[in-house]
Amino acid sequence: MFSEEKIQKIRNQFPILKEKIYSNTLVYIDNAATTQKPLQVIRASQDYYSMMNANVHRGLHYLSQKATIQVENTRKKIQRFIHAKYSSEIVFTKGTTESINLVASSISSLIKEGDEIIISFSEHHSNIVPWQILCKKKGAILKIIPIYDNGFLKLRDFEFLISKKTKIVSVSHISNVLGIINPIKYIIDKSHEYGALVLIDGAQAISNLHLNMQDLNTDFYVFSAHKMYGPTGIGVLYGKKEILEIISPYQFGGEMIKNVSFEKTTYSDLPFKFEAGTPNIEGIVVWKSAIDFVKKIGLSNIQYHKKELLSYAIQRLRTIDGIQLYGELKDLSKKSSIISFNLNKLHCFDVGSILDRLGVSVRTGHLCAQPLMNFFQVPGMIRASFSMYNTIQEIDCLFEGLLKAKRILLKN
Ligand SMILES: *Cc1c(COP(=O)(O)O)cnc(C)c1O
């Protein structure tokens, strides 16, 4: 856990944490949905528009070159952050969702009728629907890796599902509902034995784990900036160079072309072939500050702090009579700092509204994972997810809030 002094120093970097919600101090524990932004990031956004706004890659003029250099610097920074081999393997997108859509669309020419695509039971909707649509379009079959009651993937079943017919396997690195860290290295290697491509949804992992694309050897890895203290509307598709080279572009227009005539168009080299139109230049430039911020505090230190918070939260919430906690709770080395639960069969929205009145921001509902809700036979859950700036006192606020919700809602 960060010392009292250190945590205050970190919290001072996040102006929003001083906001009052219905006259209560904000307790922001919805970090799996999006994280708050530090001053360094907020200032970088202002600096970008104050000092370097211009379009990239086209202009020869000073500002355009400056903006282009900054964009390419972020690309290199992300390459190093995830240990990709080449910076041209980093494609900027709107975020995780768009990255998955890009891959599902661009590999479509490789999918034939009767081919199979494998995902898991615990995926976010954005890692379900694009594959469903692709299967429908191509007459391919979507197969689902089942899970145990504790949320772990049934790897034996995965071994039965995978075959020479499997063209792509797409699973999350960390479940956004249960926080479970999936054994993706095993899944990647097994899939490659059958010649299948692998996409890993890293939306939750990017702020939690040290990533090394070359060790993982995944074909695609996707994530968003806004879940790692960066801006919304910007994310990355990492793809192995040799695969990005053979798959089709996703969108067409400016930036992504080499030569255009009315007879024929040739495409740009990587990564620009996948970056049609003016990108979110500000988002890209500002993202770099978020990565610098994380590196300054240290991913390992952040990990350690969040793990302690999770451990405390589990201990504390467990003592509440009638609480139902979902997913793995014992081996915290296999879990990120996400905890989902329900209270005494109360509707999660009712509990969430009372917490909100107390200034406690949690996520409630199906958490973008309706199949997983069906698995647990609930309409929704309450999710608390912690970040580097959260404290023990804030978990106590959640705890007290839940007791209060019980007192109010069970009386009626
Ligand atoms: C947040 C999230 C997504 C979607 O990310 P966007 O930034 O909304 O595109 C996908 N998968 C997981 C596991 C997530 O947590």
Side-chain angles (χ1 to χ4, degrees), residues 152-168:
F152 282 122
L153 300 182
K154 289 187 169 171
L155 289 179
R156 287 292 295 279
D157 291 70
F158 169 63
E159 288 166 14
F160 285 119
L161 289 179
I162 185 125
S163 74
K164 290 275 187 224
K165 284 190 203 154
T166 312
K167 285 292 155 350
I168 186 150

Side-chain angles (χ1 to χ4, degrees), residues 31-99:
N31 295 285
T34 197
T35 51
Q36 298 301 346
K37 320 304 170 201
L39 278 172
Q40 197 167 322
V41 168
I42 298 167
R43 286 190 186 127
S45 170
Q46 193 174 7
D47 286 351
Y48 169 76
Y49 282 118
S50 310
M51 296 187 288
M52 66 182 95
N53 178 52
N55 211 332
V56 291
H57 301 303
R58 298 185 192 109
L60 184 140
H61 63 79
Y62 183 86
L63 282 184
S64 172
Q65 290 197 12
K66 190 166 167 180
T68 304
I69 289 168
Q70 294 293 328
V71 164
E72 294 313 312
N73 281 347
T74 302
R75 201 188 302 275
K76 285 188 205 121
K77 177 138 283 190
I78 292 169
Q79 177 206 349
R80 287 194 298 271
F81 192 67
I82 64 171
H83 298 92
K85 197 163 176 186
Y86 307 105
S87 66
S88 60
E89 296 178 316
I90 308 298
V91 175
F92 288 117
T93 64
K94 255 176 19 187
T96 304
T97 304
E98 189 179 44
S99 297

Side-chain angles (χ1 to χ4, degrees), residues 380-410:
M381 294 180 185
I382 304 161
R383 178 183 71 190
S385 50
F386 309 115
S387 184
M388 62 159 96
Y389 39 71
N390 289 123
T391 64
I392 291 288
Q393 292 82 344
E394 289 182 311
I395 293 171
D396 290 338
C397 286
L398 169 67
F399 175 81
E400 296 298 335
L402 290 171
L403 294 186
K404 183 158 185 184
K406 271 183 68 170
R407 281 199 302 275
I408 295 171
L409 296 168
L410 288 176

